Amino acid sequence: MLSVAVRDRAVYLPAADAVVVADLHAGRAEASDVSFPLGERADLSQRLDALCEEFEPAEVVFAGDVVHRFDRVSSRVSETVESLAETCRDAGSRPVFVAGNHDTVLADAWPDDIHDEYRLSDDTLVSHGHRHPDGSSHLHVIGHDHPTITIDGRTRPCVLYGPDAYRGADVLILPSFTRLAGGVEVNQMRASDFQSPLVDDAGVFRPLVRDEDAGETLTFPPLQKLRRML
């Protein structure tokens, strides 16, 4: 089993000393005209700060769809992106931004390097997951599909772990880090239902669900077996 810590819609990879989050969709609140109790920026920054405090990672990688709108970046969104980067730097972590399909104007909010894919120190390759990666690796970490799972009537975000799922490499699919984005229930999904081309066989993916109350991560059977149990 892969060594990974699942926390609050994110993962920490100890072999790479890196936290990875995906699908922040900064600006979704203002684009949708929805209110959020803590405010979008405060919620994202505070939760990211908690991850940095727990793991003290060398790097924090934002795995695409950092911003929500395709056409422009408002000053508030730019301030949110800078706040996230500052949260990382304050914790002694290096922020790394990977572009997703929504990030056509991310450069207007982040003037530093923006990667199509990013290789961690242990050779893990992080990309958004909306297209085939250029590089190969033993492990691909992606976002894009916003996975959730419903068990006993309760829907929760989940990480999907697929051993040998893509060209002989393991795949981790992260849920959306923003709590404003609707998740996609994976209970009955087949490969053709996923948007990412890294999913060839949905049945091999195991949902990993963090139970915050119990302080543990629950590992479920592969979807092909779990479907018969739900």
Side-chain angles (χ1 to χ4, degrees):
M1 183 67 180
L2 178 71
S3 178
V4 59
V6 176
R7 295 289 190 281
D8 189 19
R9 300 170 177 257
V11 294
Y12 172 69
L13 303 170
D17 194 18
V19 163
V20 185
V21 298
D23 295 287
L24 290 86
H25 288 275
R28 186 181 181 92
E30 64 182 27
S32 306
D33 194 28
V34 291
S35 58
F36 199 64
L38 295 176
E40 180 183 66
R41 184 188 312 162
D43 182 63
L44 293 172
S45 297
Q46 289 170 10
R47 290 166 49 227
L48 182 62
D49 182 61
L51 291 168
C52 289
E53 182 177 354
E54 178 175 0
F55 295 111
E56 299 180 347
E59 296 182 309
V60 174
V61 183
F62 300 91
D65 283 6
V66 179
V67 301
H68 183 64
R69 293 190 60 156
F70 295 92
D71 56 343
R72 67 180 181 86
V73 172
S74 70
S75 59
R76 284 191 292 182
V77 170
S78 294
E79 290 166 2
T80 296
V81 173
E82 177 54 37
S83 175
L84 294 168
E86 184 176 357
T87 296
C88 298
R89 291 191 293 258
D90 286 348
S93 305
R94 177 174 176 255
V96 177
F97 287 87
V98 173
N101 55 298
H102 274 253
D103 293 322
T104 54
V105 291
L106 177 58
D108 293 340
W110 181 248
D112 269 339
D113 290 341
I114 298 173
H115 305 267
D116 289 328
E117 53 196 45
Y118 184 75
R119 195 171 296 277
L120 301 179
S121 62
D122 71 336
D123 206 41
T124 293
L125 197 63
V126 180
S127 62
H128 182 58
H130 60 297
R131 62 175 183 81
H132 290 284
D134 294 324
S136 60
S137 178
H138 67 287
L139 172 63
H140 294 273
V141 181
I142 64 173
H144 193 48
D145 270 292
H146 302 190
T148 67
I149 189 165
T150 300
I151 298 174
D152 294 332
R154 183 179 177 185
T155 301
R156 293 188 266 191
C158 66
V159 172
L160 293 178
Y161 168 54
D164 301 323
Y166 178 71
R167 298 177 179 175
D170 294 353
V171 177
L172 280 178
I173 307 177
L174 307 190
S176 62
F177 191 61
T178 178
R179 296 190 285 189
L180 291 177
V184 177
E185 185 183 286
V186 301
N187 293 51
Q188 302 299 326
M189 286 177 66
R190 309 292 176 176
S192 59
D193 299 317
F194 283 82
Q195 296 184 50
S196 176
L198 280 77
V199 180
D200 291 324
D201 180 2
V204 304
F205 281 85
R206 293 174 172 268
L208 310 179
V209 178
R210 182 67 181 175
D211 186 337
E212 296 294 349
D213 294 333
E216 63 178 342
T217 299
L218 307 176
T219 301
F220 289 89
L223 287 175
Q224 60 191 0
K225 294 183 180 179
L226 188 60
R227 294 185 190 112
R228 299 193 292 267
M229 301 166 60
L230 296 176

Coordinates of all heavy atoms in Angstrom, one line a residue, residues 3 13 17 41 57 87 90 105 114 127 172 178 183 211:
S3 N 2.4 4.8 0.8 CA 2.6 5.5 2.0 C 2.1 7.0 1.7 O 2.8 7.7 1.0 CB 4.0 5.5 2.5 OG 4.2 6.3 3.6
L13 N 2.7 13.4 1.1 CA 3.6 12.3 0.6 C 4.9 12.3 1.4 O 5.8 13.2 1.1 CB 3.8 12.4 -0.9 CG 2.5 12.5 -1.7 CD1 2.9 12.8 -3.2 CD2 1.8 11.1 -1.7
D17 N 8.2 14.6 1.0 CA 8.0 15.7 1.9 C 7.2 16.8 1.3 O 7.6 18.0 1.3 CB 9.4 16.2 2.4 CG 9.2 17.1 3.7 OD1 8.2 17.1 4.3 OD2 10.2 17.9 4.0
R41 N -11.3 33.1 0.8 CA -9.8 33.2 1.0 C -9.4 32.7 2.4 O -8.5 32.0 2.6 CB -9.4 34.6 0.9 CG -7.9 34.8 1.0 CD -7.5 36.3 1.0 NE -8.2 37.0 -0.1 CZ -8.3 38.3 -0.2 NH1 -7.9 39.1 0.8 NH2 -8.9 38.9 -1.2
P57 N 5.9 20.6 5.4 CA 6.4 20.0 4.2 C 7.5 20.9 3.6 O 7.4 22.2 3.8 CB 5.2 19.9 3.3 CG 4.3 21.1 3.8 CD 4.5 21.1 5.3
T87 N 1.1 31.8 3.0 CA 0.8 30.8 4.0 C 1.9 29.7 3.9 O 2.4 29.3 4.9 CB -0.6 30.2 3.8 OG1 -1.6 31.1 4.0 CG2 -0.8 29.0 4.8
D90 N 5.4 31.3 5.0 CA 5.4 31.5 6.5 C 5.7 30.2 7.2 O 6.3 30.2 8.3 CB 4.1 32.1 6.9 CG 3.9 33.6 6.5 OD1 4.9 34.2 6.1 OD2 2.8 34.1 6.7
V105 N -5.5 32.0 -17.3 CA -5.0 33.4 -16.9 C -4.4 33.3 -15.5 O -4.2 34.4 -14.9 CB -6.2 34.4 -16.9 CG1 -6.6 34.6 -18.4 CG2 -7.4 33.9 -16.1
I114 N 5.0 28.6 -13.5 CA 3.7 27.8 -13.5 C 4.1 26.6 -14.4 O 4.5 26.7 -15.5 CB 2.5 28.6 -14.1 CG1 2.2 29.8 -13.3 CG2 1.3 27.7 -14.2 CD1 1.2 30.7 -13.8
S127 N 0.3 16.5 -11.8 CA -0.3 17.2 -12.9 C -1.7 17.4 -12.6 O -2.2 16.9 -11.6 CB -0.1 16.5 -14.3 OG -0.8 15.3 -14.2
L172 N -3.1 8.7 -7.8 CA -3.9 9.3 -6.7 C -4.7 10.4 -7.3 O -4.2 11.3 -8.0 CB -3.0 9.9 -5.6 CG -2.4 8.9 -4.6 CD1 -1.6 9.7 -3.6 CD2 -3.5 8.2 -3.8
T178 N -11.3 23.2 -2.5 CA -12.4 24.2 -2.1 C -13.6 23.4 -1.7 O -14.0 22.4 -2.3 CB -12.7 25.1 -3.2 OG1 -13.8 26.0 -2.8 CG2 -13.1 24.4 -4.5
G183 N -18.9 18.0 -5.6 CA -18.1 16.8 -5.9 C -18.9 15.9 -6.8 O -20.1 16.1 -7.1
D211 N -11.7 10.1 8.3 CA -12.7 10.2 9.3 C -12.0 11.2 10.4 O -11.2 10.7 11.2 CB -13.0 8.9 9.9 CG -14.1 8.9 11.0 OD1 -14.3 10.0 11.5 OD2 -14.8 7.9 11.2

